[in-house]
Structure formats: C-alpha cells, structure tokens
Amino acid sequence: MYITLLSGGSGKRLWPLSNDARSKQFLKVLEDEQGQLCSMVQRVYGQLGTVGLSDATIIATSKSQVEILHNQLGTDVPLIVEPTRRDTFPAIALAAVYLHSVKNVPLDEVISILPVDPYVEDSFFLKLIQLEAIIRETKADLALIGVKPTHPSSNYGYIIPNIKNSVTDNYISVEKFVEKPTEEKAKKLIDQSALWNCGVFAFRLDYIIDKVKALGLPIQYEELLERFLEFPKISFDYAVVEKAENIVALPYDGEWKDLGTWDTLTEEMSTTQIGKGIISDGNQKVHLINELDIPIAVLGSSNLVVAASPDGILVSDKESSSKIKEFVTAFDNRPMYEERRWGWYRILDYTKFEEGIETLTKRICIKKGKNLSYQQHYQRSEVWTVIRGCGEFVLNEKLFQVKPGDVLQIPIASKHAIRGITDLEIIEVQHGSQLIEEDIIRLETDWNSIIDMCKVFKI
C-alpha cells in the first residue's frame, strides 16, 4: 500500500498565524513526544513513521508549500507538486500517475489518501492497513474510514450506511453522504449509525488511472504535468466519490479531531501561552499565542484566544473564533511571515512613496548549513546587515566571510548569495521600483554548485 497526504489550501480560519503562505498544518503550536513545539504536518508524518508507513508516503502539494514542507520535514520527503491549484481530484490523479509511471507501482496496488492535518491517535493510522484488506476483500471502488461520532455536529460531513447491504461487523456498505447537516438532523443521522467523514479513503491504482485515461489525458507523469490545466477544476468528492457504485467504510472508534478553528486547536495545546506576555491569575480557558517581539498582557478574561503575528492581532471569544474567515477576506495584505527551505523571514516594514519607490525591511534567519540561492534583481538594490551568527557571502564571484555588524551592499543586477556557517540572522532593506517575487532571478540553489559556478575569489 502507498499513502498520499494532501497538503493544500491557504490559511484563513487560524488567522493571523495562518496566511496564504502558511496554512494551518504548518503552525507550531502542538507538542511532540520530546515536549518540543511541532506543527500538524510534523505530528502526522511522525505518526506515520511510528507505525512504519512513512517510507510508503508521498505528499501532494502546491508550489507555494514546497519550501515550508522542506523546512519542517526535510528535503527527503517525496513531493508531488501541482503546477497550479485545480482542487483535490487533479491533485490525487497527478499523484496516482506519478506512482504508476515513475515509481512503477502495480495497477492493482491499493492507494490511501488522507489529509495532512488530522489530530488522531497512532491507532488511527493502523486502520489504513485495514483499508487495503477491505478493498481486496470486497472489490469495492472506494473504502473509507468513518469516525464514530461523539456528539451531533454541523461542522462535519456524514457517511450514511446501507444497513441492508452491510456484510460484516468490520465495515459498512455506504448508501450516501450528507454534508454538514444541522445539529438536529445530525442527531437523527447518528441514530441511524452514521459516521463522520474524515476525508480518508483508499482505492486500487487502476481505478484512478482509468479515469485519467477517460479524460483523454496522458498517464505519463511528465506529460501530465504539461497538460495539467486540462483537468477540470473539481473536487474528488464530486468527480469520483458521488459516481462510485460500490463504497464501503471502516468504522473508527477513537480520538479524531479537525483542528480547523482556534476553539478546537486550543483544546489540544499543552500550554496556555506561547511567546511573550502574561495571563493574569483568575483567567479561565484563556490562550495566548504571540509571535511578536512585544509582550501582550491578558487580564480579567475567560474563554478567550489572543493570537498575534506580523500579519495581525486577533482577540476573540473562542466560540466566535470560527467566524474569523468571514472578516479576514477584507484584508489584502501580503503574508508578513514565511518559512522557507533555508529558514524563515519576517517583514518588519513596507513603505511606498509618492514617487513610486518602495522600501521593504525584513528580518531573515538562515539555518546553520543552509543558504539563500545565488540570485540577482533588476528592479531593486538591497542592503544586508548581519545581526547574529557568522556566514559566507558571495557577491559577483567574490567570497566574503561575514559576522555581526557587517553591512553588505548589493547593487541592482549584482549576483549574490549567503550561507549560514552558524544560525545566521540579517536585516534586509530592499529599495526599488518593484519589490516583487518575479524580480528574483535564481541562478543556482546548491551551495557547492554556487562555489563551482562562480569560481569565487576568497576575500
């Protein structure tokens, strides 16, 4: 069996920590077994390793998430990168074609699909192995995992069993799906033995490969990448699940949560405070998550979440926090914090002057042994001030050793790169007519190749 983790979407429901560059699965607010802060994707990938499934796992994602996945999971995790976002069916189809044509996975192999961010016990992932057995036993088109509900909820979809066609006590035959009913209707569905749909399912590889063929698309990975835009922009549910004739579901009676709101996420945080600040005595059910360098004080409150990041500040009653998505759509700011393969950066200030000149100030942290790419810009100049650590700096084929206090001038069109010998922090000030990603011309990313390419002179 092979597993595909779906990592997509942009961050709105956990604003201001989540944004278009950092979705909820990347927020480091949970704890791992060593008591270190970790993200949902780190937790899930670690659990797959615990049950021996990580070597059979690939991650389907978008271009915008590649660097943060490399940052949090390392560069050895295999990624299937969509050329553009086309919803879940094209993403899953692309992953299936990759397994078929690149990894040479047999067409009768069972493939399991699951979100990258469920909050579950390790035993949940053992159910994936059972999915493979159920698919082979029943010859079903799809096999799902359904969670036994603990309460009527309007936040989840429901799997409705076909009692007449159920074969054994181990799984149910699926009659239909109901998406996010009212709590009153949810209670009636639970009385009919309905299960929560947690978005986990399995199929034989040929089942999806045949659907790609039916669309007239190639089943060779590189060719499909070139024609990816020919996929309809449609979810897997609409494209496949609703048309499947034989679906079974495996009940799971254990802990499962979708940590998609501040209310549910704070329930699983092991601490009430992350970052600078104070929560006064007497506060009940208050959580403070602060990514800023200024302290925040929370006094005389209850059932409150206070979250602060370079993107903004949220103060909300926990029960109302799920409504944040309705409001943040009005904010059209660029993401102020991003994680990259080499570390992270935080935007400190942005100004656009009347004459059209822009300035942007960043604080950049480059991890030990990592480097920024060898690049150049034609719309801006930059000034880097080293504030912590030591490193190597390449400017137009010359190599410099840098330390705290050094000021590095980078004129327009100059080729430049920097590497951290230790963890390295710099303040970058950009100045130019257009401060945009498209003005970054990357010449090389590997440091050894940069050195070879430049034939650098050490200074």
Side-chain angles (χ1 to χ4, degrees):
M1 181 179 66
Y2 283 80
I3 297 166
T4 298
L5 292 176
L6 295 182
S7 179
S10 58
K12 299 294 184 185
R13 291 190 295 170
L14 292 174
W15 184 90
L17 268 64
S18 63
N19 55 35
D20 287 340
R22 182 173 56 155
S23 302
K24 68 174 183 177
Q25 62 263 34
F26 301 116
L27 305 184
K28 294 183 180 179
V29 294
L30 303 174
E31 277 194 4
D32 60 20
E33 294 179 353
Q34 288 73 43
Q36 301 295 314
L37 290 177
C38 70
S39 66
M40 300 179 199
V41 67
Q42 288 174 317
R43 186 176 190 273
V44 166
Y45 198 76
Q47 288 177 300
L48 286 168
T50 298
V51 298
L53 293 174
S54 59
D55 288 344
T57 298
I58 62 174
I59 300 178
T61 189
S62 60
K63 289 181 180 178
S64 63
Q65 294 186 359
V66 169
E67 294 217 4
I68 194 168
L69 281 165
H70 283 164
N71 181 294
Q72 295 198 0
L73 299 180
T75 56
D76 293 334
V77 177
L79 303 182
I80 305 301
V81 183
E82 307 161 62
T84 184
R85 288 177 176 170
R86 304 289 294 172
D87 217 321
T88 50
F89 170 63
I92 291 168
L94 183 64
V97 168
Y98 170 82
L99 291 172
H100 168 61
S101 65
V102 177
K103 301 295 287 184
N104 297 315
V105 174
L107 287 172
D108 64 349
E109 186 66 76
V110 173
I111 312 300
S112 291
I113 309 291
L114 67 154
V116 78
D117 55 4
Y119 189 85
V120 292
E121 302 163 335
D122 291 352
S123 59
F124 180 86
F125 297 97
L126 296 176
K127 283 286 182 181
L128 294 176
I129 300 172
Q130 294 181 39
L131 277 184
E132 179 179 17
I134 294 297
I135 280 277
R136 299 197 185 283
E137 177 185 340
T138 64
K139 310 298 182 184
D141 297 328
L142 297 169
L144 288 68
I145 292 180
V147 177
K148 291 185 178 180
T150 56
H151 62 281
S153 173
S154 59
N155 295 323
Y156 306 133
Y158 287 75
I159 302 169
I160 314 303
N162 186 336
I163 303 299
K164 295 179 182 179
N165 292 341
S166 292
V167 181
T168 73
D169 293 333
N170 296 327
Y171 61 90
I172 63 170
S173 176
V174 177
E175 179 181 345
K176 62 179 180 179
F177 301 88
V178 175
E179 185 65 20
K180 296 184 179 180
T182 64
E183 287 193 11
E184 182 179 351
K185 186 174 181 180
K187 186 177 186 308
K188 293 179 181 179
L189 294 176
I190 292 173
D191 291 339
Q192 299 170 27
S193 301
L195 303 171
W196 282 337
N197 188 353
C198 61
V200 177
F201 49 87
F203 49 78
R204 290 180 305 277
L205 182 57
D206 60 356
Y207 183 67
I208 299 302
I209 294 297
D210 287 345
K211 294 189 179 299
V212 176
K213 290 180 180 178
L215 290 171
L217 292 170
I219 57 171
Q220 296 300 314
Y221 181 65
E222 294 298 333
E223 294 179 29
L224 188 59
L225 283 174
E226 293 293 326
R227 297 177 58 183
F228 191 73
L229 285 175
E230 296 180 34
F231 270 114
K233 197 172 185 179
I234 189 172
S235 72
F236 190 84
D237 286 347
Y238 286 122
V240 178
V241 178
E242 290 190 356
K243 298 175 182 178
E245 296 180 0
N246 183 6
I247 305 177
V248 296
L250 186 65
Y252 172 71
D253 190 9
E255 184 179 16
W256 173 85
K257 283 188 178 181
D258 176 11
L259 305 185
T261 67
W262 280 115
D263 190 14
T264 55
L265 181 59
T266 51
E267 288 178 358
E268 303 304 330
M269 289 174 57
S270 60
T271 178
T272 57
Q273 180 177 331
I274 297 174
K276 289 184 179 180
I278 185 171
I279 302 173
S280 67
D281 293 339
N283 289 269
Q284 296 183 348
K285 297 183 179 179
V286 171
H287 281 79
L288 169 62
I289 304 96
N290 183 12
E291 291 189 335
L292 303 177
D293 289 328
I294 57 174
I296 296 175
V298 185
L299 312 176
S301 303
S302 62
N303 202 40
L304 193 71
V305 58
V306 179
S309 83
D311 286 295
I313 298 173
L314 170 70
V315 180
S316 174
D317 176 88
K318 288 184 178 179
E319 292 181 1
S320 301
S321 64
S322 60
K323 300 177 183 177
I324 185 61
K325 190 174 182 179
E326 303 170 20
F327 297 95
V328 298
T329 51
F331 304 152
D332 192 26
N333 298 335
R334 63 185 294 169
M336 304 292 281
Y337 174 88
E338 292 194 40
E339 289 182 34
R340 296 296 181 90
R341 57 176 176 80
W342 39 259
W344 55 263
Y345 75 78
R346 178 179 298 169
I347 294 177
L348 304 177
D349 181 72
Y350 169 75
T351 304
K352 186 171 184 177
F353 298 100
E354 291 181 1
E355 58 269 30
I357 296 299
E358 303 175 41
T359 64
L360 181 72
T361 304
K362 289 181 179 180
R363 180 179 175 182
I364 300 174
C365 179
I366 303 161
K367 293 181 180 178
K368 177 182 178 180
K370 302 292 184 179
N371 63 276
L372 303 188
S373 62
Y374 193 46
Q375 58 187 255
Q376 58 186 155
H377 320 289
Y378 287 93
Q379 304 293 327
R380 68 178 186 249
S381 62
E382 295 177 346
V383 178
W384 291 353
T385 302
V386 180
I387 61 173
R388 185 170 75 93
C390 58
E392 296 177 304
F393 171 60
V394 174
L395 180 66
N396 292 329
E397 300 188 2
K398 293 182 180 180
L399 179 66
F400 303 83
Q401 299 294 309
V402 296
K403 62 186 184 306
D406 287 347
V407 178
L408 314 174
Q409 302 279 348
I410 305 170
I412 288 176
S414 295
K415 299 174 183 179
H416 58 283
I418 192 166
R419 172 180 175 269
I421 295 175
T422 66
D423 284 352
L424 180 68
E425 288 195 34
I426 62 177
I427 299 296
E428 174 185 274
V429 180
Q430 302 176 7
H431 183 272
S433 57
Q434 278 193 309
L435 308 182
I436 55 176
E437 267 309 291
E438 289 75 13
D439 187 37
I440 301 176
I441 300 172
R442 291 185 172 86
L443 306 171
E444 182 57 69
T445 56
D446 177 74
W447 188 256
N448 290 328
S449 298
I450 291 171
I451 301 299
D452 292 340
M453 180 173 143
C454 294
K455 299 179 181 177
V456 294
F457 301 95
K458 294 185 179 180
I459 294 180

